[in-house]
Amino acid sequence: MFKNKVYIITGANGRIGLELSKHLIKIGAKIVMTDIKTNNIKSLNNNNNHLIKKIDIINEKNIQHLIKMTHKKFNKIDGIVHCAYPVTKDWGQIFEKLSPKSLKENLFNQLGVSILISKQIIKYFIKNKISGKIIYISSIQGVRPPKFEHYRGLKMSSPIEYSVIKTGIISLTSYLAKLYKKNKISINCVSPGGIKDKQPKKFMKRYLQTCGLKGLLNPKDIVGTIIFLLSKNSEYINGQNIIIDDGWSL
Ligand SMILES: NC(=O)c1ccc[n+]([C@@H]2O[C@H](COP(=O)([O-])OP(=O)(O)OC[C@H]3O[C@@H](n4cnc5c(N)ncnc54)[C@H](O)[C@@H]3O)[C@@H](O)[C@H]2O)c1
């Protein structure tokens, strides 16, 4: 089903992007893996059908260039999965101390850039008459407010900007899916629960109590849903947000 399909994966060097890239390679898709860091994906660049492009995604010219070079290489693009997570160095400031500069940069880099990626790839799909797919990664934090009690007494938090950005991603998904449904462009997003990443044991225990049997997830737990959304099996799913959270949001 994925032979001759061409996808761009942003943030391919990260947790979700890397697992997704490996899976797409395994099932025969042609992919361009893009990120500002490439240490984890270097070894995947072993075939002419799997390219690595090191770019900073927060620049619209770079997005245009990425689309142009992918088309030049493979003659078409079937979809893009936006997994990049461009946060500032001071990401996660406590609410009362949040600086306007940090707020402005993170809102633009994470939400604004998602809008610009849509703008450029939708223009490309329309120009080339492609029934393309766009997939964003939102989060459970965009669906429900954080469970603040899970963070109590720990040096970790879930920032307000994150919730607002992730709700924005869900909104952007349904807005654009509605606007372009007559062009047969599908735009969906997934909202994963937290992914295991050396969180304190106390946090993991509290988190698990509000889930089924798994609690924090592995990147592999997310990839299957993204593959489904890229596949023919989801042909008439458009503008949706699919929550993958082992019941956290229930
Ligand atoms: N990890 C989680 O617990 C979790 C849970 C729910 C949703 N998500 C969402 O999933 C998405 C991916 O998360 P992840 O855990 O894989 O993150 P990650 O930090 O592991 O990977 C993100 C990748 O984006 C790249 N990146 C950062 N700035 C960039 C830029 N300016 N240009 C190009 N690439 C850039 C990084 O180098 C990194 O490889 C994010 O949108 C995140 O909010 C993550």
Side-chain angles (χ1 to χ4, degrees):
M1 197 192 290
F2 287 91
K3 293 250 154 55
N4 297 319
K5 291 285 181 191
V6 180
Y7 302 110
I8 295 173
I9 314 300
T10 74
N13 199 63
R15 279 171 287 250
I16 296 176
L18 177 64
E19 201 56 47
L20 175 65
S21 299
K22 284 182 183 168
H23 196 98
L24 283 168
I25 289 172
K26 207 156 89 187
I27 59 180
K30 297 174 179 157
I31 58 171
V32 174
M33 297 168 270
T34 176
D35 204 296
I36 34 166
K37 292 189 194 148
T38 56
N39 54 310
N40 296 329
I41 42 179
K42 251 185 213 149
S43 61
L44 304 181
N45 190 18
N46 55 5
N47 182 313
N48 211 20
N49 289 332
H50 315 131
L51 300 188
I52 292 172
K53 186 78 188 158
K54 193 171 179 173
I55 61 156
D56 184 347
I57 203 74
I58 65 177
N59 178 324
E60 192 177 18
K61 284 215 166 71
N62 291 346
I63 300 169
Q64 284 174 305
H65 173 67
L66 177 67
I67 292 170
K68 213 169 158 184
M69 63 85 37
T70 306
H71 181 83
K72 199 169 167 198
K73 168 73 187 163
F74 295 118
N75 245 325
K76 63 164 184 162
I77 305 168
D78 294 290
I80 185 163
V81 186
H82 181 37
C83 304
Y85 184 38
V87 295
T88 56
K89 285 208 174 84
D90 60 5
W91 175 241
Q93 292 181 336
I94 52 170
F95 176 54
E96 291 88 345
K97 293 187 176 165
L98 182 57
S99 76
K101 183 173 178 287
S102 177
L103 182 60
K104 201 168 152 184
E105 281 182 31
N106 282 297
L107 289 177
F108 177 76
N109 295 356
Q110 297 179 54
L111 188 54
V113 165
S114 301
I115 295 173
L116 294 179
I117 288 176
S118 315
K119 177 183 143 190
Q120 293 300 339
I121 196 77
I122 287 170
K123 272 203 302 196
Y124 167 82
F125 287 151
I126 290 174
K127 186 174 164 211
N128 292 280
K129 297 190 174 57
I130 292 176
S131 308
K133 304 218 176 211
I134 306 175
I135 298 178
Y136 298 110
I137 319 291
S138 177
S139 162
I140 47 169
Q141 309 292 357
V143 180
R144 303 263 185 279
K147 300 197 188 223
F148 296 111
E149 62 277 17
H150 289 180
Y151 301 87
R152 200 164 293 139
L154 300 174
K155 282 189 185 139
M156 57 187 296
S157 65
S158 188
I160 189 166
E161 317 86 279
Y162 192 63
S163 293
V164 170
I165 288 163
K166 292 307 186 185
T167 304
I169 295 289
I170 297 169
S171 170
L172 137 78
T173 298
S174 56
Y175 182 109
L176 290 176
K178 185 167 181 181
L179 192 58
Y180 290 103
K181 64 181 173 185
K182 291 286 186 199
N183 298 84
K184 274 220 87 194
I185 295 170
S186 312
I187 306 162
N188 291 293
C189 70
V190 297
S191 283
I195 292 174
K196 248 179 241 153
D197 185 29
K198 299 184 191 134
Q199 288 92 343
K201 278 209 175 94
K202 204 178 228 176
F203 177 83
M204 289 174 74
K205 202 172 156 201
R206 288 169 177 169
Y207 189 100
L208 174 59
Q209 274 167 1
T210 58
C211 296
L213 295 175
K214 174 104 188 190
L216 289 170
L217 304 172
N218 301 113
K220 270 195 181 141
D221 300 323
I222 319 297
V223 165
T225 307
I226 299 176
I227 297 291
F228 165 68
L229 289 173
L230 289 175
S231 78
K232 256 190 154 221
N233 293 331
S234 61
E235 198 172 351
Y236 298 106
I237 296 180
N238 201 3
Q240 300 305 308
N241 172 42
I242 301 189
I243 299 170
I244 313 156
D245 70 349
D246 191 32
W248 179 95
S249 56
L250 297 174

